[in-house]
Amino acid sequence: MAPAVHLGSGKVRELYALDDERLLLVATDRISTFDVVLPTEIPDKGRVLTGLSAFWFARTRSICPNHLLAVRSDGRSTECRRLEMLPIECVVRGYLTGSGWKDYVATGSTSGHALPPGLVESQELPEPIFTPATKATTGHDENIDAETAVELVGADRFREVERIALALYRFASAHAHERGIIIADTKFEFGLDPDGVLVLADEALTPDSSRFWPMDGYRPGQAQPSFDKQFVRDYCESLGWDKTDPGPELPENVVAGTRERYIEAFALLTGIDFDAYLDNPEIVLR
Ligand SMILES: Nc1ncnc2c1ncn2[C@@H]1O[C@H](COP(=O)(O)OP(=O)(O)OP(=O)(O)O)[C@@H](O)[C@H]1O
Ligand SMILES: [Mg+2]
C-alpha cells in the first residue's frame, strides 16, 4: 500500500490522502476553545469524536449518503471518500443560543429568519432553522443569510442541503431526546462526489460540532452549561485569558473532568460502553 500523503492539519484533525479517491481523517486529542487550540490535550477525545461520528453515519444513510468507508482499529482514524467540499458550514439550530441568540437580540432575526418576539436565551425555536455560515479559513465562521449561501452553492443545492441538514437534525435530536440530551444546534459539512451527488462528510453530531445540553437542568432564560467544554471554558474564563493565541495549559483536574464528560456524552448517545468501543471500534456501526 502506498504511504498516506499528509494534506494538512485542521484545528483537530490531520488529513491524509490514501489515494485519489480516499482520505484518512485522524482525529487528534487537541481541544480548541474560543477558536484557539490549547496546548494541553484531552486523552481519547479524538476517539470519542470518531466513534460518535461513525455511530451517526451508520444510522443516517437513509437520509443522506456519507463519506465513511471504514473506522480503523485505533478508534481515531477514519477512511473516507474524498469529496469536493461545499464552501458553507451547514448549521441547524433548534434552540436560541450562541451567535443565533446574539443576532436575535440585536435584530429580532437570525440569518434572515424572522423569529417571534419575546424569545428568551436558550429557548426552543418553534421549528429548527437552517443558518449556514461561511467557512472562515482563519478566525471565526460568519453567519450568512440564504441569499449569500445561494450565491456560494446555487439555489438548487442550497434547497437540498437545507432539507437534508434539517432532516438529519430532526432525526438525531429525537434520538438524543430519548437519552436525556438536547442537541441545541449542530453543524454539518457536505461535499459532492464525482457524480455530483451530495454526501455528508467531516464529523457529524459530535460535542465539537454541536451543543449538547443535559435535559435535566435545562433552564430557558439563561446560558446552559454545555456538556463537554464547560470545564475548559470556565477555567479559561477564571484566568481572565484574552482568548487569543496562545491559550493556557489546563490543569489535571480540568483535563480529567473534560475527558469524563466527552466519554459520558458518547456512552449516553450511543448506549455503548466506551471501553467496548476501544476494544472494537466497529461496534458503533452495528
Ligand atoms: N470527505 C472529505 N473530503 C474532503 N475534505 C474533507 C472531507 N471530510 C472532511 N473534510 C475536511 O477536512 C478538514 C477536517 O479537519 P478539522 O475539522 O480539524 O479542520 P477545520 O474544520 O479546518 O477546523 P475546525 O473544525 O476546528 O474549524 C476540514 O477542512 C473538512 O472540511
Ligand atoms: Mg472541522
Side-chain angles (χ1 to χ4, degrees):
M1 200 166 47
V5 178
H6 189 232
L7 295 179
S9 309
K11 285 197 282 291
V12 169
R13 264 155 277 274
E14 297 294 331
L15 213 62
Y16 300 86
L18 292 170
D19 51 42
D20 289 348
E21 285 93 44
R22 293 180 311 145
L23 292 178
L24 189 68
L25 279 185
V26 183
T28 68
D29 292 334
R30 294 194 286 266
I31 186 165
S32 70
T33 185
F34 308 111
D35 276 336
V36 174
V37 178
L38 301 181
T40 313
E41 299 196 331
I42 307 297
D44 290 324
K45 174 176 171 284
R47 293 193 169 93
V48 167
L49 301 184
T50 302
L52 262 177
S53 293
F55 172 84
W56 294 114
F57 285 144
R59 282 156 186 79
T60 55
R61 284 187 207 284
S62 61
I63 300 173
C64 179
N66 62 65
H67 73 168
L68 180 69
L69 296 171
V71 183
R72 290 197 173 171
S73 59
D74 65 3
R76 65 169 77 248
S77 306
T78 310
E79 294 175 22
C80 59
R81 289 199 273 159
R82 192 171 186 169
L83 304 167
E84 191 193 317
M85 299 300 287
L86 295 184
I88 56 171
E89 311 246 340
C90 298
V91 178
V92 178
R93 301 172 189 278
Y95 292 72
L96 199 51
T97 181
S99 62
W101 167 244
K102 282 202 194 95
D103 291 349
Y104 174 76
V105 170
T107 67
S109 67
T110 182
S111 309
H113 294 266
L115 297 173
L119 298 179
V120 298
E121 183 171 15
S122 307
Q123 189 162 343
E124 185 173 11
L125 294 168
E127 292 290 331
I129 54 174
F130 181 61
T131 61
T134 55
K135 275 194 191 185
T137 36
T138 56
H140 305 276
D141 299 331
E142 232 175 88
N143 289 339
I144 51 177
D145 58 17
E147 204 176 295
T148 312
V150 164
E151 278 167 26
L152 290 168
V153 300
D156 291 348
R157 195 65 81 182
F158 176 82
R159 273 194 297 275
E160 187 184 16
V161 290
E162 174 174 52
R163 176 173 54 80
I164 290 175
L166 287 169
L168 289 168
Y169 173 82
R170 284 183 200 279
F171 171 84
S173 172
H175 174 100
H177 227 256
E178 283 171 23
R179 286 155 181 81
I181 293 181
I182 291 170
I183 304 180
D185 54 28
T186 194
K187 177 208 72 175
F188 301 105
E189 291 190 31
F190 294 92
L192 303 180
D193 77 5
D195 297 326
V197 174
L198 189 74
V199 179
L200 178 61
D202 202 56
E203 62 179 333
L205 297 153
T206 72
D208 275 16
S209 66
S210 323
R211 284 192 180 85
F212 293 150
W213 297 337
M215 209 179 285
D216 46 272
Y218 168 62
R219 304 263 181 288
Q222 61 191 58
Q224 308 299 302
S226 96
F227 216 88
D228 34 77
K229 285 190 184 172
Q230 201 60 36
F231 279 100
V232 174
R233 294 211 186 101
D234 291 349
Y235 175 73
C236 291
E237 300 271 16
S238 77
L239 296 176
W241 166 52
D242 65 0
K243 298 173 188 169
T244 62
D245 209 30
E249 297 266 2
L250 302 176
E252 215 171 297
N253 64 318
V254 174
V255 171
T258 304
R259 179 176 183 274
E260 262 166 48
R261 296 293 267 171
Y262 270 86
I263 289 172
E264 194 187 356
F266 175 95
L268 282 173
L269 284 169
T270 64
I272 296 167
D273 191 52
F274 188 62
D275 285 330
Y277 174 72
L278 296 182
D279 281 347
N280 174 21
E282 292 186 346
I283 195 169
V284 294
L285 303 177
R286 283 180 205 145

